[in-house]
Amino acid sequence: MSHLAQTQTQETFVLNLGPQHPATHGVLRVKLVMDGEYIVHAEPVLGYIHRMHEKMGENRTWAQFMPNTGRLDYLSALSYNFGYAAAVERAAGITVPERAEYIRVITTELNRISSHLLWFGAFVLDLGGFTPLLYAFDDREQILDLLESVTGSRLTYCYFRFGGVYNDIDDNFVPGSLAFIKRLRARMPMYHDLVTKNIILMKRLIGIGPISAEMCRRYGATGPVLRGSGVQFDVRKNEPYSVYPEFNFDIPVYHECDSMARYMVRMDEIEQSMRIIEQACNKLPEGPIMAEKAPKIIKPAPGDYYFSVEAARGSFGVRIVSDGTNTPYRLKLRSPTFSNLSLFAEASQGMLLADALALMGSLDLVIPEIDR
Amino acid sequence: MNLEKIKQAMMALAPQAPVVEAPAEVAPVEGAEVPVAQKGRPAVLDTDYAKKGFTLDIELPPENVVAAAEILFKEGLSIEAVTGVDWIKDGQLEVVYDFIDWQWHGRVVVRSRVPRDNPQIPTISEVFAGANWHERETHDFFGIKFIGHPDLSPLLLPEDANFHPLLKDFKA
Amino acid sequence: MGTENVQPSIVQQVVQLAQLDNLLAIGRANSLWPMTFGLACCAIEMMATGASRFDLARFGAEVFRPSPRQADVMIVAGTISKKMEHAVKTLYDQMPEPKWVIAMGNCAISGGPFVFEGQYGIVEGADKFLPVDIYIPGCPPRPEALIEGILELEEKVTGTRRWPRVKAG
């Protein structure tokens, strides 16, 4: 449990964490008022990578905005492609063929695994362990090979189109994915034995950074942060979209509310994503990958629409306000990490600085997604 | 979460018209103007989730948004986002709040319009702490002042920024 | 930007110092220590270049230093926003000589995909305020491209290309 320092004096000093710092995962600056090693007040300062996505939304046609979505949270870029494409399809009334939905789900879940693997490597790197990063990147490169053969990109995907996907999978994709899953399933026990059950990691994470479900509700936290606090909420089950209802998968929930719980949620999610990919690969139907009646120029009916998907970091929402023309009138991107980080100021009070970094790593931050 | 209780409480906050079904979708007219503010629309509207992505659409005057937030907080909802829309042709700015409930398949949207030349609305950050940052961002982008907000300094823009980029008449 | 001007006072020292110069250049080129300066998406490809498959350690450059005081080369990987510009310049000034700058990715070269009419937030390229030595295009560039950029920088430092060029096709 975090506790305030028992000091007689009230001498505090201001410490600046970032914007260039190895553990802030991007350009985040945190103004810390410190009492020795204990944090009295932490104030994140954002905006160092504000890239004007929402303004660009108003200056681009609906289709021209798609590359931006890959650059929001580049680690799970396909989820962001998904959210935006599905929002516009909802607004314009376009139905996606089944094969395209399956391909969307398979590629998105592969992307989720690669995002969690990178988070795992970077998180343990923050805590001081360098080697798991190299192993995690090795597995991640295999996923990137698979996704590159289909989408053409390694990182900032722009693969979805309104009405489907633009490129069909080749013959090696399904056997390659299943072989990869077999390989990763055999490697996960190694990660758990060497890292999860490591006494140093356990001491660094268990009991550190408690975030209650009530705090999550007040701040709007979603994703593994919320599921590590005992709440079973996942957009894929709560507001099901695409073909997720057809798959058998669990939502890992841990009730301890500490950093270890959030860590375990993500590790278990890797296994659940593998289950989804296996089922989808085995049930993949034949058919077209683009809707036949998808219009060439998208002009959704006037009004506002919302679509929410489960990205690797939480619930990503797109609110589009259309005025019937071929450019959005307003495009709001609801970023999960924005809400997750907003509770950092309250959650880190009275913590040791090193513990606060463990808390920040367990929140899984990607700053360009916060700053948009 | 009790949906009926929410609807009754919201109607009490803006007693204009009873709940009606969402109007039939109208096909867009080629070259149509930006739709005029829906004057006289009912305060509480049931919407089709499959078509719109939200279940309840509530329009309130600015002074009642805190009471609405308190009702939704008591009913167990969580704040999802707060943002603004610039309706320059109506001379109004719209503040849009999104709320979800973890055990409910749906979304509650609360909207409020403020005049563009003096946009002020009370803050809901006392009720939902997460609204603090959302409101700062909305202030950054649109210049809407949230009365009672502890710190409306720029969040995403530089500290000395005095411009509001998402306004339709913004010139860099 | 790299080789220092040596003003010898005695003639026979010129030959010996030129050899020393070359030796120092080879030493520097073989152990460029980059500064961890990942701003956005290109940072991930930079991490991937340092990780297991692409292995920047083969070229002596895997020791990413968070502190600018210990770094040789600043790899500007990502978009520079106007809010961040001052911090980037400060970090560059804090690096000791000799130092180099690699602009990695389209954003660091010229603002990348975020340049549009009426943009208010980004600096269109690192070379607006930093002296850039190597430009690596891509969005994001592949790790192989970053390695090629490091090898080009080594060529700039030593004067000769010491690794084979990969022929296309």
Side-chain angles (χ1 to χ4, degrees):
Chain A
M1 275 297 288
S2 61
H3 54 278
L4 288 169
Q6 323 277 324
T7 51
Q8 301 294 344
T9 61
Q10 286 297 309
E11 278 181 23
T12 58
F13 63 97
V14 176
L15 187 67
N16 197 44
L17 188 76
Q20 188 257 0
H21 189 277
T24 53
H25 303 294
V27 274
L28 171 69
R29 177 170 161 225
V30 187
K31 276 200 267 200
L32 296 163
V33 177
M34 309 280 298
D35 176 11
E37 284 270 343
Y38 292 92
I39 294 178
V40 172
H41 177 66
E43 185 197 328
V45 179
L46 307 175
Y48 289 96
I49 191 74
H50 176 61
R51 297 195 282 190
M52 312 166 284
H53 284 282
E54 295 187 6
K55 184 74 183 174
M56 283 177 83
E58 298 174 16
N59 280 301
R60 297 266 182 282
T61 65
W62 298 94
Q64 283 172 339
F65 187 73
M66 190 61 93
N68 284 53
T69 59
R71 283 150 182 86
L72 279 165
D73 173 7
Y74 34 83
L75 295 176
S76 72
L78 284 170
S79 307
Y80 286 68
N81 274 194
F82 209 149
Y84 178 64
V88 175
E89 284 155 6
R90 174 174 271 170
I94 303 171
T95 327
V96 178
E98 224 194 336
R99 182 177 173 86
E101 292 278 28
Y102 271 77
I103 295 177
R104 280 184 175 186
V105 166
I106 297 173
T107 47
T108 307
E109 293 302 316
L110 277 172
N111 204 196
R112 190 190 309 275
I113 298 177
S114 85
S115 169
H116 282 335
L117 281 171
L118 191 142
W119 161 82
F120 165 75
F123 184 41
V124 184
L125 182 68
D126 287 347
L127 301 175
F130 190 83
T131 317
L133 178 83
L134 300 172
Y135 284 79
F137 264 77
D138 188 15
D139 289 325
R140 188 173 167 265
E141 291 288 342
Q142 312 236 327
I143 301 180
L144 260 46
D145 284 341
L146 286 167
L147 288 174
E148 191 184 355
S149 70
V150 177
T151 68
S153 335
R154 278 171 52 96
L155 189 73
T156 48
Y157 305 102
C158 180
Y159 177 50
F160 294 3
R161 302 284 182 269
F162 303 128
V165 295
Y166 90 92
N167 192 31
D168 205 344
I169 59 178
D170 57 11
D171 296 325
N172 292 330
F173 184 75
V174 169
S177 308
L178 294 172
F180 166 74
I181 288 175
K182 194 154 160 235
R183 181 177 182 268
L184 186 59
R185 275 224 175 96
R187 283 188 36 123
M188 288 305 285
M190 174 193 78
Y191 289 130
H192 283 296
D193 282 339
L194 290 177
V195 183
T196 313
K197 295 184 190 154
N198 186 310
I199 184 71
I200 302 177
L201 189 93
M202 291 192 339
K203 283 211 181 272
R204 285 288 312 254
L205 295 185
I206 293 182
I208 302 300
I211 297 177
S212 65
E214 190 52 30
M215 193 192 285
C216 289
R217 187 167 81 88
R218 280 186 294 121
Y219 284 94
T222 51
V225 175
L226 185 59
R227 294 195 276 281
S229 301
V231 177
Q232 185 156 38
F233 174 75
D234 184 317
V235 182
R236 295 173 291 178
K237 296 269 197 201
N238 210 58
E239 288 179 64
Y241 56 96
S242 183
V243 290
Y244 279 105
E246 298 184 21
F247 303 121
N248 215 0
F249 63 100
D250 301 321
I251 307 294
V253 173
Y254 283 78
H255 296 269
E256 294 87 1
C257 303
D258 58 7
S259 301
M260 193 62 174
R262 295 186 279 279
Y263 170 94
M264 287 308 300
V265 165
R266 291 190 186 97
M267 299 303 273
D268 288 353
E269 274 182 17
I270 295 179
E271 172 58 41
Q272 297 303 321
S273 287
M274 289 199 280
R275 279 177 72 186
I276 298 177
I277 297 171
E278 266 180 335
Q279 293 168 48
C281 282
N282 291 330
K283 292 204 298 192
L284 185 62
E286 294 298 322
I289 52 162
M290 266 300 276
E292 283 157 18
K293 290 192 275 199
K296 282 267 174 337
I297 301 180
I298 306 276
K299 287 190 187 174
D304 68 338
Y305 306 84
Y306 197 97
F307 201 96
S308 177
V309 296
E310 182 74 21
R313 284 160 186 82
S315 136
F316 168 63
V318 179
R319 149 159 273 134
I320 58 183
V321 178
S322 163
D323 55 355
T325 61
N326 67 346
T327 59
Y329 189 77
R330 170 88 175 99
L331 185 61
K332 157 79 182 168
L333 305 159
R334 190 261 171 195
S335 141
T337 328
F338 184 87
S339 305
N340 289 356
L341 182 61
S342 61
L343 54 74
F344 182 72
E346 192 180 316
S348 64
Q349 270 188 333
M351 288 175 76
L352 285 167
L353 180 56
D355 290 342
L357 287 179
L359 165 62
M360 211 155 67
S362 73
L363 292 178
D364 197 0
L365 306 175
V366 171
I367 313 300
E369 187 207 348
I370 304 180
D371 285 354
R372 278 158 287 137
Chain B
M1 183 205 93
N2 187 330
L3 191 62
E4 274 313 308
K5 200 165 150 200
I6 293 176
K7 284 204 272 200
Q8 298 297 325
M10 293 298 177
M11 284 198 286
L13 284 177
Q16 284 161 7
V19 175
V20 297
E21 292 303 307
E25 294 295 319
V26 178
V29 176
E30 247 343 269
E33 292 255 307
V34 174
V36 178
Q38 296 176 338
K39 297 188 178 64
R41 57 149 272 181
V44 180
L45 209 60
D46 281 312
T47 50
D48 182 4
Y49 177 89
K51 284 218 185 89
K52 302 283 268 180
F54 44 90
T55 326
L56 204 58
D57 185 349
I58 301 160
E59 170 122 27
L60 293 173
E63 52 271 12
N64 289 350
V65 291
V66 184
E70 279 166 359
I71 294 166
L72 294 170
F73 184 81
K74 256 194 7 216
E75 288 294 314
L77 278 84
S78 172
I79 180 136
E80 201 171 35
V82 181
T83 189
V85 186
D86 183 9
W87 296 110
I88 188 168
K89 292 215 169 109
D90 308 335
Q92 290 177 317
L93 289 167
E94 185 181 16
V95 185
V96 183
Y97 304 81
D98 290 306
F99 298 93
I100 50 165
D101 185 284
W102 296 326
Q103 274 92 39
W104 176 58
H105 173 264
R107 183 166 280 106
V108 176
V109 176
V110 176
R111 310 162 190 281
S112 188
R113 293 205 177 214
V114 291
R116 211 164 175 273
D117 46 13
N118 185 18
Q120 293 191 34
I121 190 168
T123 178
I124 65 166
S125 54
E126 304 283 314
V127 185
F128 284 101
N132 187 316
W133 274 18
H134 287 289
E135 288 175 352
R136 266 176 87 180
E137 178 196 323
T138 313
H139 170 80
D140 270 357
F141 286 156
F142 294 97
I144 299 175
K145 287 201 48 182
F146 289 88
I147 310 165
H149 193 283
D151 174 26
L152 267 186
S153 56
L155 185 68
L156 300 182
L157 297 176
E159 294 96 10
D160 52 356
N162 57 357
F163 55 92
H164 301 289
L166 252 59
L167 292 173
K168 292 287 175 183
D169 52 0
F170 166 73
K171 292 272 177 291
Chain C
M1 200 84 307
T3 54
E4 58 274 46
N5 290 322
V6 182
Q7 308 290 335
S9 56
I10 303 174
V11 171
Q12 68 232 56
Q13 281 186 0
V14 172
V15 172
Q16 288 150 331
L17 283 167
Q19 295 287 62
L20 187 61
D21 223 7
N22 287 343
L23 190 63
L24 281 174
I26 292 178
R28 286 193 186 112
N30 259 346
S31 68
L32 288 165
W33 284 13
M35 191 170 71
T36 60
F37 202 49
L39 295 165
C41 344
C42 282
I44 306 296
E45 290 296 60
M46 194 166 68
M47 284 165 70
T49 318
S52 17
R53 179 181 281 191
F54 298 100
D55 198 13
L56 206 48
R58 297 177 280 170
F59 308 101
E62 90 283 10
V63 189
F64 283 86
R65 311 306 303 158
S67 162
R69 305 280 185 199
Q70 301 166 358
D72 292 318
V73 56
M74 173 194 263
I75 304 181
V76 182
T79 327
I80 305 173
S81 71
K82 287 192 178 150
K83 195 166 177 177
M84 189 68 188
E85 181 186 351
H86 170 74
V88 179
K89 190 77 176 72
T90 309
L91 285 165
Y92 177 77
D93 291 337
Q94 287 177 333
M95 285 166 71
E97 292 275 353
K99 56 190 173 186
W100 298 274
V101 176
I102 295 181
M104 177 183 178
N106 292 352
C107 289
I109 295 177
S110 65
F114 300 105
V115 173
F116 64 96
E117 179 93 32
Q119 70 96 352
Y120 59 86
I122 64 161
V123 175
E124 294 179 15
D127 56 6
K128 294 268 188 252
F129 60 100
L130 288 178
V132 174
D133 293 287
I134 303 285
Y135 296 86
I136 307 178
C139 190
R142 284 191 64 103
E144 288 97 329
L146 177 57
I147 293 177
E148 176 69 20
I150 300 267
L151 300 184
E152 286 275 339
L153 182 60
E154 289 185 14
E155 185 180 353
K156 194 168 180 180
V157 170
T158 58
T160 51
R161 169 93 183 192
R162 295 157 39 251
W163 301 96
R165 265 186 222 283
V166 177
K167 297 245 181 305

